[in-house]
Each structure stands twice: as structure tokens, then as C-alpha cells.
Amino acid sequence: MKDNNQAKQRIEELRAEIERHDKLYYVFSDPEISDREYDELFHSLEKLEQQFPEFMDSTSPTQRVGESIKSFDSYSHRKPMLSLSNTYSKEDLAEFDRRIHKLIPDEPFEYILEPKIDGTSVSLRYENGLLVQALTRGKDNIGDDVTANIRTINSIPLHLSDMVPPAVLEVRGEVYMDLYGFAQLNEQRQESGQEPFANPRNASSGSLKLLTPREAAKRPLDAVFYASGEFDGISFDTHEQMLQSFKNFGFRIVPHFWHCKNIDEVQQKLDELENMRHKFPFEMDGGVIKVNERRFYEALGYTGRNPRWAVAYKYEPEQAETTLHAISIQVGRTGVLTPVAELEPVQLAGTTVKRATLHNEDEIRRKDIKIGDRVIIEKAGEIIPAVVKVVSEKRTGLETDFSMPTSCPDCGGNVIQHEDEVAWRCINNLLCPSQVKAGITHFASREAMHINGLGESLVVQLVDSGLVKNPAELYTLKKVEVLGLERMGEKSAENLIEGIGQSKQRPFEKVLFGLGIRHVGKGAATILANEFKNIDALMAADVQKLETIRDIGPIVGKSVVGYFQSLETRAVIDQLRVAEVNFEQAETGGSSELEGLTFVLTGSLETMTRDEGGDKIRARGGKVSSSISKKTSYLVAGESAGSKLAKAEALGVTVLNEEQFVALLGSDEKLEDQKAGQMGFGF
Ligand code: IVH
């Protein structure tokens, strides 16, 4: 690019294009391009901005992550940030409705019902279309300026998507962490010896209060917007119109809302919403009911900080009481010792719960948990539930204190507590059977080497029988050896050996993830594989070199270098090399069999998650959308597909069941899954 003007124009085009794709992806869940194509656009922009620094602009999509700050400034909200009064019963709701009818008698209006998301409320101010400030609710109408962290949330637009934006627009909504992101973050925190967050709400507010935007950017934060603050140069007649307009500006709004003609209908829809409670990817603690017609808001007024035109209806927290019989210790992949409560089985949110995490020793002390206690357990976005508190009134005096073991309960090795960590760790990494088993299970998992049928229970048998001591030894396993294991038939043994053999074709990034290097998750593994191309180059890199890579920080850098310095791991790498596991990143050239086709996935699939299904479609050039329209080519319907299936049928969209979908994806996938079915290992 020779000419400065040309460069400037191209930079502006690329920025606008990237913002357009962000909106399609985050707001409409209807991406037009693959992740790889998006990354290419992004890299082109980064390159041009480096080449022509005179055109750099802090509002460029490449500039989301800014410098660290020392403390948060605080500012007053220009319009008070209102809250909601809570109702817990249908009677309370009827009272809310009666009050409204009394204040605006004979006026026609309807209600909107939305899910109530349990996160952290924020107010974002846009001036002439540009994000200028993000404040937390704070106290006494003064909020903390968390703009630097808010800018790192990719689904929040830095510019309003409108040619003529309003002079001022303040949007208010909820920053939250979805349940999957929350579970992963807590797992990582536990493995690195940090205190886990008690619930997704604490995780989101804690993340907004980080002083390092680079760290905040790594937190899986998202946001939806549902209310207005100050605005100028725009108006909204109804709440629904405002939501629509937020969406057009590039904001995510609640995933679903209902129109209700009267309070009876609200109550009916609240039951519907409650039944959907576990279908939302975020923690939902109730419904919010709002008068749709904004012209009545002034007449309805406020009580204190709560508007009379809106109310929250809170669902009961899902808790149960049971007895804690014992505390066992689970040793994780990196040696962290996690205390786990062994409970009298109890029903909670539709499942029987027998165990609950106690996180770490500090948590047991803080909650004063003793063996034999009656305890309250809750599901708060956890995969396994947590113990909330002890029912101390029910103590008999027979309860006993728990203390952490002074050696590893599995291998008897030393346990240590690092200076800045709450967790105790067994340091016997390569010899501790629990760590070895967890490491091999991780290596074989779907996200890593995807060895069908090699789940935790088989790994336990392989290690306990002395057949396998590390992931590399899987590749020297013989059928006769496997046949000697409990409940192992001829066919299953054959399939296992074949599955292990096939895993040698897995891409380098999956192998790297499978090695289980501390702090190297899927994302970092992909970045490292793309950057270094092969294991030798990666093993030769020092911390300095690693740190220069975008999104690889000093913690990952040190961990990678430390991992490859160990003679034991080098021996495992050598064995894997001999086994001809893929240690080289292939040059990617996407295929295009599904080009021009748009898919919607619904219900639960058995052989893959919906995300994985989406990846497979995109890898073949197809598009994935979250909503059905006449443009949809296929609806892939798994188990318990609901309204989308009905809509597809009504619109005449072709519906594929999982088997047909797998067939469409291609023969290699079909082969793998058929085999898994024959093995009978839970597929
Ligand atoms: S409306 C004046 N809508 O719940 C209206 N709030 O308990 C202001 N919240 O402060 C709020 N989901 O942080 C509204 N769909 C939703 C919501 C919602 C979650 C939070 C919000 C609010 C709190 C009140």
C-alpha cells in the first residue's frame, strides 16, 4: 500500500467491516464469515495500523485492551440508576398490578416479561455514537469508572452502529459470566491455587474490578442491555421499541421476552420462564415485569429508588438440606487437593446430589463445616453443587473437625502450599496415580486427542493395572493387554487400539492442549501451535520470545518453558514422537462443501455439543445461525428440540436428525461415531 490516503481508507473500511461482523456474531448470532476469515481481517487491520501509526485510533477494534490503572475514578450518574422492588408471590404481583391500575385508571397498556439475569449492573454512556464512559451502580448515585474493562468485552460496541447516532445515549444492563465460562474459570483458578468465585455474579463483579484490562479481557464476560439512562436526540415509545433500537445499535438484549396483556398472563408466562430456567446459559434468578408503554412512566412514578412501572419476581433459590457424612480429597491434574463433601443423597433441581465441592481448606474454616453437620447445598452455576452453610441449630455435639491431610491421600507424597495460594498440592506430579490418571483422561478427551471410549474409568483400570504410566504409553498398548481388563470384549479392545492409533492424526494444537501444560488452555494451545508450527520450535523458545506473542502472558510463558525443561516430560515427548503423534501444525485450507448453506442447531446432540457441531459446519464453509427463518437451509434437531423445531416445520425448513447431520458432515465423522456406538462406551 503506497499511498497514505489509500491506507487510511482501507483502515477505515476494515474497522467498519470488523464492527459489522461483531454485530452479526454477537447480536444476531448469524455470522457471515468463519472465525479464521474474521482473524484474517483483524490481522490485516493490525498490520496496517502498525505500518501507518498516524491513523491509529483508540476506538479501533484492535484497541480494546488498554493500559493498567492504579485505582478507579468515581463519577455521579447523570440520571439515578434505579433498582427494582422484589416480589416473591403471585399475591405480591397482583398488588403491583392493582397499584398501577389505580394510578392510571382506564388506560390501555401491556406488560413485558424478561428474564432477570444475575450479574452486575452497569451504565454505558455514548456521546455522538462513541463509548465514553462505563460506570458501575456504586453507592449513593456514585459509580466506579470501569470503562477500561468494559471495552474488553467484545460483544459491547465501542461505536453505535448507526450513521447518525444520537447526541447522548446511556444504556443500562447487566454484565454477566455464562455458566460454562464460570465453571472453566473456577476450575482454572482452583488448579492454579487461587480462591474460586462463589457464584457467577461475584465472578462478573470481581472481573470488572480488575486493575489490569489485559486480565479482564481473559474473563469470559458478556452483557445484555434492558434499560436507559440519559438520552438526547432519540426517543422510544415503548420498552420493546427501545430494546429493538438497542439491538440495532449493536447491543445484545435479553434472549427472550414475552408480551402479556394482563397480570394473569404475566403469571402464566412466569411459570413458562421458570421451566426454562436451566436452558439459559446464564444464572437467572427470576423475571422482570415492565409496563411496555413508556408514556405512563412519569405518572406511575417511584417509591424510593424503585419505579412503580416495573417489578422483579424472584424464584426460590434451588437449595436442599442434607447430612455431610465425610470429607474426601480429590487430587486434580496439577496436584491440587480439593476437599469434597460426601453427602446423604438428596434431590436438587431435578438431580440426585451425593457430593458437593468444598473448594479448599479456607472455605471449610470460613463456613465452619464439620463432619456430621446438617448442611444447605445449592447449585450456583456449579457443575457440582456447593455447600452454602451449616445448619448450626441442628448440631448435636457429635460433629468432628476436618483437617487437610499432611501427605497426598493417593500416593503418600509430600504436599505443599505455595506462598500466594490457598490450595495444597501434591508435588509428586509424574508418579502420583491420581495426577497421572487425570492427565491421561485429559489427553484422551474429546477436546484434546478425542480417543473414543477412553474415559475416566478405563484410564483408571489402565493405570492401576500398570499398563500405562503416561499418555505416550497408550501408543504401545497391545490388544491382548487391553483384553485382560475387566469387562473388556474383543471388539471393544480392537476399537480402543484403533481409536488410539487414529488420534495420531489429531492436529498439533489438540496434542499441545492434551499435554496438559499448566495455564495452556485450548485458546493458548491454538495460538502457540499457529505461531511455532512445530514442537521443536516451541521447545526452543524462551520466556522472552513467548511473551512477545499476542495473548500469551508471562504466566503462560514461564509455565511452557518450565514444562519443557523437565527431563521427565522431555522423555514423554520423545516417546510421543516415536509413536508419530502429530507435532506439526498443518497449513490450513478450509473446505467448502457446505458453502451457501445456513444451519440452525437445537436440542441436545449425543455425539457432540452444539458448539462442536457449529465448528464442523463452519470448517466446511457453512454458516450457523441461532434463529430460524425462511433462509435457513437445515435445522439440526437433537433430543428435546422445542419451539425451533415447530417453527422449522411451519416454515417448511428441512429438519435433520443427528444421524443425518453426521452423514452430511462426511464419512470420517460417521466412521468414528459408528465405532463409538459399537464399543458401547457411553455414546
Ligand atoms: S430493569 C428501572 N431488567 O436486577 C429498571 N433489571 O434487582 C432497572 N436485572 O438493578 C432494572 N435483569 O441489575 C432490569 N431484565 C432486567 C434485569 C434487571 C437483571 C438486575 C438489575 C437491577 C436488579 C434489580
Side-chain angles (χ1 to χ4, degrees):
M1 189 113 16
K2 295 172 213 110
D3 180 321
N4 268 27
N5 274 340
Q6 248 180 318
K8 184 164 186 260
Q9 199 187 341
R10 182 71 189 131
I11 285 176
E12 279 164 7
E13 271 168 19
L14 281 168
R15 285 178 187 157
E17 190 62 3
I18 288 169
E19 284 175 6
R20 190 173 76 81
H21 288 301
D22 282 341
K23 184 171 165 185
L24 283 170
Y25 182 84
Y26 292 110
V27 183
F28 293 99
S29 307
D30 192 11
E32 269 178 12
I33 57 174
S34 66
D35 290 358
R36 203 175 53 239
E37 286 165 310
Y38 180 90
D39 288 346
E40 276 163 18
L41 282 180
F42 205 90
H43 288 315
S44 312
L45 175 59
E46 277 180 325
K47 234 163 99 186
L48 268 182
E49 285 177 340
Q50 271 165 14
Q51 241 176 307
F52 296 91
E54 62 271 39
F55 304 131
M56 185 52 99
D57 182 330
S58 65
T59 69
S60 167
T62 60
Q63 302 303 302
R64 281 190 174 266
V65 183
E67 298 295 314
S68 297
I69 51 172
K70 295 242 154 43
S71 64
F72 294 103
D73 292 331
S74 34
Y75 295 92
S76 296
H77 291 288
R78 293 202 174 65
K79 270 197 133 193
M81 227 174 140
L82 301 173
S83 196
L84 296 172
S85 48
N86 288 326
T87 56
Y88 296 91
S89 67
K90 302 276 160 101
E91 291 76 56
D92 290 350
L93 266 188
E95 180 52 37
F96 160 76
D97 179 60
R98 265 196 297 280
R99 205 170 43 221
I100 293 180
H101 281 286
K102 214 166 135 191
L103 286 164
I104 49 166
D106 307 324
E107 294 283 6
F109 70 89
E110 60 168 13
Y111 291 115
I112 297 280
L113 168 67
E114 294 171 351
K116 184 171 184 307
I117 298 149
D118 204 9
T120 311
S121 47
V122 288
S123 179
L124 313 187
R125 185 176 173 88
Y126 290 78
E127 288 177 3
N128 300 315
L130 204 67
L131 172 64
V132 291
Q133 189 176 60
L135 297 178
T136 59
R137 171 188 298 282
K139 252 188 170 170
D140 301 328
N141 205 41
I142 297 173
D144 283 330
D145 184 334
V146 289
T147 317
N149 289 342
I150 285 289
R151 286 172 58 100
T152 68
I153 303 176
N154 288 324
S155 66
I156 291 182
L158 298 178
H159 287 114
L160 296 184
S161 139
D162 195 316
M163 297 300 275
V164 198
V168 175
L169 175 65
E170 286 182 4
V171 291
R172 289 172 174 179
E174 206 80 357
V175 169
Y176 66 92
M177 199 173 280
D178 75 25
L179 297 179
Y180 177 74
F182 170 71
Q184 285 221 318
L185 176 68
N186 260 2
E187 203 177 300
Q188 275 166 22
R189 285 175 74 83
Q190 241 164 319
E191 284 293 323
S192 61
Q194 288 166 292
E195 190 76 43
F197 288 109
N199 51 46
R201 176 167 24 90
N202 289 7
S204 59
S205 61
S207 302
L208 280 187
K209 289 302 184 63
L210 288 166
L211 295 170
T212 319
R214 194 184 157 110
E215 286 306 310
K218 289 187 200 151
R219 298 285 173 87
L221 294 175
D222 218 323
V224 292
F225 294 88
Y226 46 64
S228 59
E230 190 179 42
F231 53 85
D232 177 13
I234 190 164
S235 64
F236 318 104
D237 291 337
T238 61
H239 179 67
E240 183 186 19
Q241 202 188 70
M242 182 185 79
L243 292 181
Q244 192 52 50
S245 151
F246 283 5
K247 207 166 162 181
N248 292 339
F249 281 132
F251 297 102
R252 301 190 62 215
I253 61 169
V254 287
H256 196 82
F257 61 83
W258 288 263
H259 284 268
C260 307
K261 280 195 277 312
N262 51 43
I263 206 72
D264 288 341
E265 213 179 320
V266 167
Q267 303 197 337
Q268 211 179 308
K269 300 293 179 200
L270 269 170
D271 292 338
E272 229 174 87
L273 178 64
E274 187 161 14
N275 286 334
M276 291 167 69
R277 188 166 178 177
H278 300 290
K279 297 220 167 97
F280 290 110
F282 45 74
E283 186 90 339
M284 204 258 306
D285 60 344
V288 180
I289 299 108
K290 297 170 181 172
V291 169
N292 193 19
E293 290 75 8
R294 291 174 59 104
R295 65 179 182 279
F296 300 128
Y297 287 5
E298 215 179 288
L300 290 169
Y302 306 87
T303 50
R305 304 187 61 77
N306 304 329
R308 284 203 194 85
W309 43 265
V311 76
Y313 180 87
K314 299 264 275 208
Y315 298 127
E316 287 295 318
E318 292 183 288
Q319 294 188 334
E321 188 186 313
T322 187
T323 304
L324 184 151
H325 289 307
I327 295 179
S328 60
I329 297 289
Q330 209 173 306
V331 184
R333 186 159 54 86
T334 59
V336 171
L337 270 50
T338 305
V340 176
E342 303 292 341
L343 307 166
E344 179 64 34
V346 63
Q347 283 295 115
L348 176 64
T351 53
T352 308
V353 176
K354 295 188 198 123
R355 309 179 90 201
T357 178
L358 293 167
H359 297 306
N360 53 52
E361 194 182 14
D362 277 15
E363 172 115 344
I364 297 176
R365 300 277 159 269
R366 205 168 38 240
K367 291 182 177 161
D368 185 28
I369 296 170
K370 293 179 195 279
I371 297 163
D373 267 334
R374 290 291 288 174
V375 291
I376 302 290
I377 58 164
E378 186 177 279
K379 277 196 175 167
E382 299 276 351
I383 307 262
I384 29 175
V387 172
V388 185
K389 61 173 185 182
V390 169
V391 190
S392 38
E393 315 82 87
K394 295 200 178 159
R395 281 220 166 130
T396 60
L398 295 174
E399 297 78 12
T400 52
D401 280 329
F402 166 79
S403 41
M404 282 300 271
T406 48
S407 57
C408 173
D410 192 23
C411 69
N414 283 342
V415 293
I416 56 158
Q417 193 175 32
H418 287 292
E419 218 173 275
D420 49 353
E421 293 189 356
V422 282
W424 286 89
R425 281 174 194 279
C426 161
I427 54 170
N428 205 5
N429 300 44
L430 288 166
L431 294 173
C432 173
S434 289
Q435 291 182 63
V436 170
K437 288 170 192 166
I440 298 174
T441 309
H442 168 77
F443 181 79
S445 68
R446 185 178 281 271
E447 310 262 35
M449 299 307 272
H450 197 174
I451 304 176
N452 274 330
L454 188 50
E456 198 181 332
S457 57
L458 189 52
V459 170
V460 169
Q461 286 195 61
L462 287 170
V463 175
D464 286 347
S465 62
L467 285 174
V468 173
K469 286 185 290 304
N470 64 47
E473 291 186 358
L474 290 171
Y475 295 94
T476 53
L477 265 181
K478 308 224 165 21
K479 188 175 140 193
V480 285
E481 293 172 322
V482 177
L483 268 176
L485 299 175
E486 249 175 68
R487 291 193 305 276
M488 180 61 72
E490 183 86 17
K491 191 79 198 150
S492 303
E494 221 164 75
N495 285 337
L496 178 67
I497 300 292
E498 202 177 319
I500 292 172
Q502 277 175 353
S503 73
K504 296 178 189 174
Q505 313 311 316
R506 291 287 279 168
F508 177 41
E509 64 196 68
K510 306 286 181 192
V511 182
L512 205 48
F513 173 61
L515 292 178
I517 306 170
R518 248 178 105 188
H519 304 295
V520 178
K522 273 179 289 173
T526 307
I527 295 170
L528 293 172
N530 286 333
E531 190 70 30
F532 290 96
K533 308 281 187 229
N534 64 59
I535 194 103
D536 296 306
L538 178 62
M539 286 171 80
D542 57 17
V543 178
Q544 263 170 332
K545 165 94 181 116
L546 285 156
E547 266 188 61
T548 57
I549 300 164
R550 187 164 169 253
D551 289 333
I552 299 290
I555 297 178
V556 175
K558 264 195 214 139
S559 176
V560 170
V561 170
Y563 177 83
F564 288 119
Q565 263 167 2
S566 144
L567 289 179
E568 286 90 344
T569 38
R570 277 177 173 266
V572 174
I573 299 290
D574 284 344
Q575 275 176 278
L576 287 169
R577 204 193 294 270
V578 171
E580 295 182 335
V581 159
N582 188 1
F583 277 149
E584 271 190 37
Q585 187 76 331
E587 286 307 326
T588 43
S591 75
S592 55
E593 307 116 67
L594 303 182
E595 205 171 307
L597 299 177
T598 305
F599 290 74
V600 174
L601 296 125
T602 188
S604 54
L605 302 175
E606 264 182 50
T607 57
M608 64 188 95
T609 63
R610 284 208 300 270
D611 277 351
E612 285 165 350
D615 286 347
K616 288 175 200 280
I617 293 167
R618 283 187 216 98
R620 289 159 175 77
K623 279 199 271 175
V624 181
S625 166
S626 66
S627 55
I628 303 257
S629 73
K630 276 195 242 147
K631 285 192 301 179
T632 311
S633 322
Y634 293 106
L635 174 78
V636 179
E639 264 305 288
S640 10
S643 61
K644 283 188 183 157
L645 180 57
K647 190 163 175 199
E649 279 162 357
L651 289 173
V653 170
T654 310
V655 178
L656 299 179
N657 63 24
E658 185 163 355
E659 202 183 326
Q660 293 164 322
F661 173 54
V662 171
L664 188 75
L665 288 175
S667 54
D668 54 344
E669 301 285 339
K670 207 161 109 188
L671 211 75
E672 264 183 70
D673 290 344
Q674 272 173 355
K675 246 187 289 123
Q678 286 159 7
M679 284 202 285
F681 283 125
F683 277 86

